[in-house]
Amino acid sequence: MNTNTDIIDQLIGHFLGHLHPPVPRVPQGPLLHWKTLGSHGFGAVVIGLKAKDLQSSRLRRALVDLWRGRKGLLVLKDLPGLTPDELLEFTSSFGSVEEALAASRSRAQVTHPGRAAVPGVVMRLGNSRDPTTNELNASFTLSAQLPTFSSGPEACRFNPSTKTPIWHTDGTYRLRPPTGSMLYAVQVPPVGGDTCFADASKAFTTLPKDTQRRLEGLEALCSQAHHDALHNVKKPGTYVLMNAEQRAKMPLMAVPLVLTHPETKRKSLYGANSSVFLIQPLNSPAPLTELLNRAEGAEAFEDPSVDRELRSLLPHATGPDFVVRWHWNVGDLVIWDNRCTMHCATGFDHETFVREMWRTTFHDMSWQPPVRKVPRE
């Protein structure tokens, strides 16, 4: 007798051969119903799946290709009850799953009794607390709540006066920046806590040509120590500040402001992250020790070039023409490609409500990120 997974494989197998161009055209299938999220073809939402359906290897392939074809943003709606093991197994369809968290984030690891066939780690985001100790057991960053004038994407636009929402690409301070991430809703507030996603490729190609050329000659200098110090300035206690010895062990990473996607060959804005403290010409020498000490210390100093060359682009790049705003329900799962999207968290009444999200991160090991480690001296 055929299992449900076998039936899924058979039903969708007839169209999988059409899903491999760089920008695949994915037809509707009897068990893969989707629609476009953004008005310009950015993102797709899939409905009608169950957690058990994700065991189908052919369905996974179809979802990966749909993700690629809709510019690196995919939502699977209403999948309540996913276990950490199931989330890790599904993540492995998109790349090599990260297996460890940074020491400063260890309290946020989701523990689970079983072990998935694919190793990996699930990180808890939000303001949830351990039911036994009542201590925070998630990575929590205070985010500004969106204005209430609109429930649409225009409310997500970056505001230069407040520097919010905090639009970013994940992990630019790492030796190997991640390819993408998944975020799964376990518990959500009734209002607020939306996540906004921007098509960084479309945002780049609609800039003036001279601006595009200038940006292609620049890089962002990134430091995790600066990232943690900056968030600590905004909300003391968010992260433990690194001492000089710890900072010396952390890499300084230079990442380009324009990244060419290895599969689609589209160019995208890249590098926006709270770890950025300096924008400089490509392949510049190491920063001065004085600047580095200020950037990574309690001051969390940021060179004016960050506002001038990077944040000045965000009101354009996060306008409603490029943005999808997702309002979460329990069981929603979102997958994004860090190489061609940006995203931002938004706030909620964290004194009253609980938000718990599970995140996994993955890497395409065939991709060599165009980043470089910068010497500290």
Side-chain angles (χ1 to χ4, degrees):
M1 179 179 294
N2 285 340
T3 66
N4 288 338
T5 298
D6 293 333
I7 294 171
I8 292 170
D9 286 350
Q10 293 168 13
L11 287 172
I12 67 174
H14 70 279
F15 64 76
L16 285 173
H18 302 290
L19 301 181
H20 296 286
V23 185
R25 298 172 62 87
V26 187
Q28 300 282 358
L31 293 177
L32 186 59
H33 301 289
W34 63 273
K35 63 180 181 180
T36 299
L37 279 173
S39 60
H40 59 288
F42 175 49
V45 58
V46 177
I47 59 176
L49 296 180
K50 303 298 181 185
K52 62 184 178 181
D53 297 337
L54 301 184
Q55 298 171 14
S56 165
S57 60
R58 290 186 176 179
L59 178 62
R60 291 185 187 188
R61 285 176 54 200
L63 291 172
V64 170
D65 285 330
L66 180 58
W67 173 68
R68 290 170 174 161
R70 307 321 294 179
K71 304 180 180 180
L73 179 64
L74 181 63
V75 179
L76 307 186
K77 187 169 176 57
D78 192 21
L79 287 171
L82 275 184
T83 68
D85 286 353
E86 289 171 331
L87 183 58
L88 288 170
E89 291 277 5
F90 182 59
T91 305
S92 70
S93 304
F94 288 76
S96 178
V97 187
E98 285 197 349
E99 298 184 25
L101 299 179
S104 60
R105 276 73 164 171
S106 60
R107 71 180 181 188
Q109 181 169 343
V110 177
T111 58
H112 46 105
R115 289 303 304 170
V118 176
V121 64
V122 179
M123 181 179 182
R124 185 184 290 107
L125 305 179
N127 64 330
S128 58
R129 293 185 175 274
D130 186 283
T132 302
T133 65
N134 200 39
E135 293 182 353
L136 187 69
N137 64 357
S139 178
F140 178 61
T141 300
L142 189 64
S143 300
Q145 297 189 42
L146 292 181
T148 58
F149 66 80
S150 172
S151 60
E154 60 268 23
C156 303
R157 190 193 292 267
F158 179 76
N159 184 337
S161 62
T162 62
K163 296 185 178 181
T164 59
I166 303 176
W167 283 90
H168 63 284
T169 298
D170 289 337
T172 59
Y173 51 79
R174 298 186 186 184
L175 286 169
R176 185 182 183 89
T179 297
S181 294
M182 295 190 184
L183 196 60
Y184 179 65
V186 178
Q187 188 171 358
V188 298
V191 179
D194 296 357
T195 304
C196 305
F197 298 90
D199 182 349
S201 175
K202 188 72 171 179
F204 176 75
T205 58
T206 52
L207 288 169
K209 294 297 184 183
D210 58 339
T211 301
Q212 294 182 30
R213 287 190 292 270
R214 188 183 80 251
L215 295 175
E216 288 185 277
L218 298 175
E219 63 185 13
L221 203 56
C222 307
S223 159
Q224 183 179 343
H226 174 71
H227 172 281
D228 292 2
L230 185 63
H231 281 288
N232 219 50
V233 168
K234 296 174 182 177
K235 182 176 173 56
T238 301
Y239 295 104
V240 177
L241 287 177
M242 297 184 191
N243 59 38
E245 182 179 356
Q246 291 171 322
R247 296 199 300 264
K249 296 178 181 178
M250 301 301 297
L252 282 180
M253 299 303 299
V255 306
L257 289 196
V258 180
L259 186 145
T260 300
H261 196 283
E263 295 165 357
T264 67
K265 308 306 178 184
R266 294 192 184 105
K267 294 180 178 180
S268 298
L269 293 175
Y270 187 72
N273 188 280
S274 295
S275 65
V276 176
F277 65 91
L278 177 67
I279 304 296
Q280 59 187 14
L282 290 172
N283 300 313
S284 292
L288 296 175
T289 301
E290 179 184 0
L291 171 61
L292 192 55
N293 288 339
R294 292 180 65 191
E296 296 186 325
E299 181 185 357
F301 174 78
E302 186 180 87
D303 189 80
S305 59
V306 179
D307 273 342
R308 184 177 65 249
E309 300 290 1
L310 184 54
R311 286 204 188 92
S312 63
L313 303 171
L314 293 182
H316 162 77
T318 63
D321 289 344
F322 313 123
V323 168
V324 166
R325 175 178 175 177
W326 187 253
H327 177 71
W328 294 92
N329 290 297
V330 171
D332 290 350
L333 175 63
V334 178
I335 308 113
W336 67 89
D337 188 334
N338 276 305
R339 300 168 296 184
C340 55
T341 69
M342 293 185 290
H343 61 278
C344 70
T346 67
F348 63 100
D349 183 356
H350 62 276
E351 299 291 344
T352 304
F353 302 110
V354 175
R355 184 177 190 260
E356 180 180 351
M357 314 291 285
W358 292 354
R359 189 178 78 182
T360 56
T361 299
F362 57 90
H363 298 264
D364 175 0
M365 300 307 293
S366 68
W367 176 54
Q368 296 301 319
V371 302
R372 66 186 181 94
K373 184 178 178 181
V374 178
R376 286 183 169 269
E377 297 180 353

